[in-house]
């Protein structure tokens, strides 16, 4: 199977809170998992990515947690800010397949 | 100022008409990609090209065609065979040394609407 299931579809968080977005994949051949951030009317931009040989990767306020046995990975945004309001996409990649999740619209309120 | 440009920003297509979306990059990237984005759905890969004069079908290539005659350019034609072309189309590029497992840099997109 080639699907990547992403949840929730939308998320509302108060400023300073933690935003958590989850993704699950089925094909164990995927070996690269990027997250992209997209602002309205713009193209997506790479935010952070992880390979399955590590369980966690942190860059500033953004952390990816990876559970290889469960075939799940998640994005945590610490101290969420109004400027983080955007749509977030996870993706799963192998040498000849790139599948995006359906996206999560995050709104951070002051 | 390096980057990816897509034109036009908005494009209107009449029934039975072929239209071509432009994508140009000055990043000296070997690989280029076309995606379609629909509301509530993720990006879906239409075509990609890892080198000049070569390209591969993605998951939803039917009704679309591409060419890669120059490194900098990867135009997408939406043919009349594509029955539901209304969508936001995104072009991307990457360095091209590691296939799909690379950081992709996206253009600003073209919104195609059917009249």
């Amino acid at each position: 199977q080639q699907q990547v299931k992403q949840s929730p579809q939308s998320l509302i968080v108060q400023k300073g809170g933690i935003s958590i977005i989850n993704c699950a994949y089925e094909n164990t051949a995927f070996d690269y998992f990027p997250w992209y951030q997209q602002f309205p009317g713009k193209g997506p931009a790479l935010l952070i990515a992880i390979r399955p040989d590590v369980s966690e990767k942190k860059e500033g306020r953004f952390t990816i947690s990876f559970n290889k046995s469960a075939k799940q990975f998640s994005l945590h945004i610490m101290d969420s800010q109004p400027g983080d309001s955007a749509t977030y996409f996870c993706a799963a990649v192998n040498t000849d397949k790139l599948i995006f999740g359906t996206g999560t619209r995050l709104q951070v309120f002051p | 100022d390096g980057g990816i440009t897509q034109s036009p920003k908005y494009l209107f297509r009449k029934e039975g008409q072929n239209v071509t979306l432009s994508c140009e990059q000055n990043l000296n990237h070997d690989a280029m990609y076309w995606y379609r984005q629909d509301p509530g759905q993720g990006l879906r890969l239409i075509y990609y090209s890892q080198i000049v004069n070569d390209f591969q079908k993605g998951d939803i290539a039917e009704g679309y065609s591409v060419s890669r005659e120059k490194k900098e350019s990867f135009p997408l034609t939406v043919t009349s065979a594509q029955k539901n072309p209304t969508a936001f189309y995104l072009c991307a590029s990457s360095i091209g040394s590691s296939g799909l497992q690379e950081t992709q840099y996206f253009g600003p997109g073209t919104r195609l609407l059917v009249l």
Side-chain angles (χ1 to χ4, degrees):
Chain A
Q1 289 295 322
Q2 303 288 1
Q3 275 190 320
V4 175
K5 296 181 180 177
Q6 183 172 347
S7 63
Q9 192 172 26
S10 63
L11 182 60
I12 298 174
V13 173
Q14 202 156 16
K15 178 182 175 182
I18 302 173
S19 304
I20 302 174
I21 304 170
N22 301 298
C23 284
Y25 63 100
E26 298 168 346
N27 187 342
T28 56
F30 290 129
D31 57 3
Y32 178 66
F33 302 91
W35 284 88
Y36 282 83
Q37 179 188 55
Q38 184 179 27
F39 293 104
K42 305 291 185 183
L46 180 69
L47 188 62
I48 187 172
I50 196 168
R51 293 194 182 273
D53 53 347
V54 296
S55 60
E56 186 175 282
K57 183 174 182 180
K58 184 176 180 179
E59 290 183 2
R61 295 185 294 109
F62 301 90
T63 300
I64 299 179
S65 297
F66 189 83
N67 185 331
K68 188 174 180 179
S69 61
K71 293 185 282 186
Q72 295 175 347
F73 58 109
S74 59
L75 175 69
H76 295 235
I77 306 175
M78 311 300 288
D79 188 26
S80 299
Q81 299 296 312
D84 297 330
S85 298
T87 298
Y88 293 81
F89 294 95
C90 63
V93 193
N94 61 18
T95 51
D96 61 356
K97 248 337 177 184
L98 167 59
I99 307 293
F100 279 89
T102 51
T104 296
R105 186 182 175 206
L106 171 65
Q107 295 175 274
V108 182
F109 285 96
Chain B
D1 190 22
I4 301 175
T5 56
Q6 291 186 241
S7 62
K9 189 172 182 178
Y10 296 95
L11 185 58
F12 297 91
R13 192 190 94 163
K14 295 180 182 178
E15 293 287 343
Q17 187 182 39
N18 292 353
V19 291
T20 298
L21 285 62
S22 169
C23 179
E24 303 277 333
Q25 55 99 359
N26 61 4
L27 300 169
N28 200 32
H29 285 171
D30 283 320
M32 297 187 74
Y33 312 80
W34 273 106
Y35 293 90
R36 171 181 171 139
Q37 185 174 27
D38 295 281
Q41 296 194 39
L43 283 71
R44 291 182 290 168
L45 185 62
I46 304 173
Y47 270 99
Y48 64 102
S49 167
Q50 294 185 305
I51 197 167
V52 174
N53 291 323
D54 188 39
F55 48 83
Q56 288 77 39
K57 292 182 179 180
D59 296 315
I60 56 165
E62 186 174 347
Y64 300 98
S65 66
V66 293
S67 63
R68 186 85 188 277
E69 296 175 1
K70 297 187 299 181
K71 186 176 184 177
E72 311 81 51
S73 178
F74 190 40
L76 173 74
T77 296
V78 184
T79 74
S80 57
Q82 173 49 245
K83 298 306 178 188
N84 185 24
T86 297
F88 189 49
Y89 290 87
L90 287 158
C91 177
S93 71
S94 68
I95 293 174
S97 58
S98 304
L100 293 175
Q101 295 188 13
E102 293 183 330
T103 300
Q104 295 188 21
Y105 298 86
F106 285 82
T110 291
R111 189 164 298 279
L112 176 61
L113 298 164
V114 177
L115 295 177

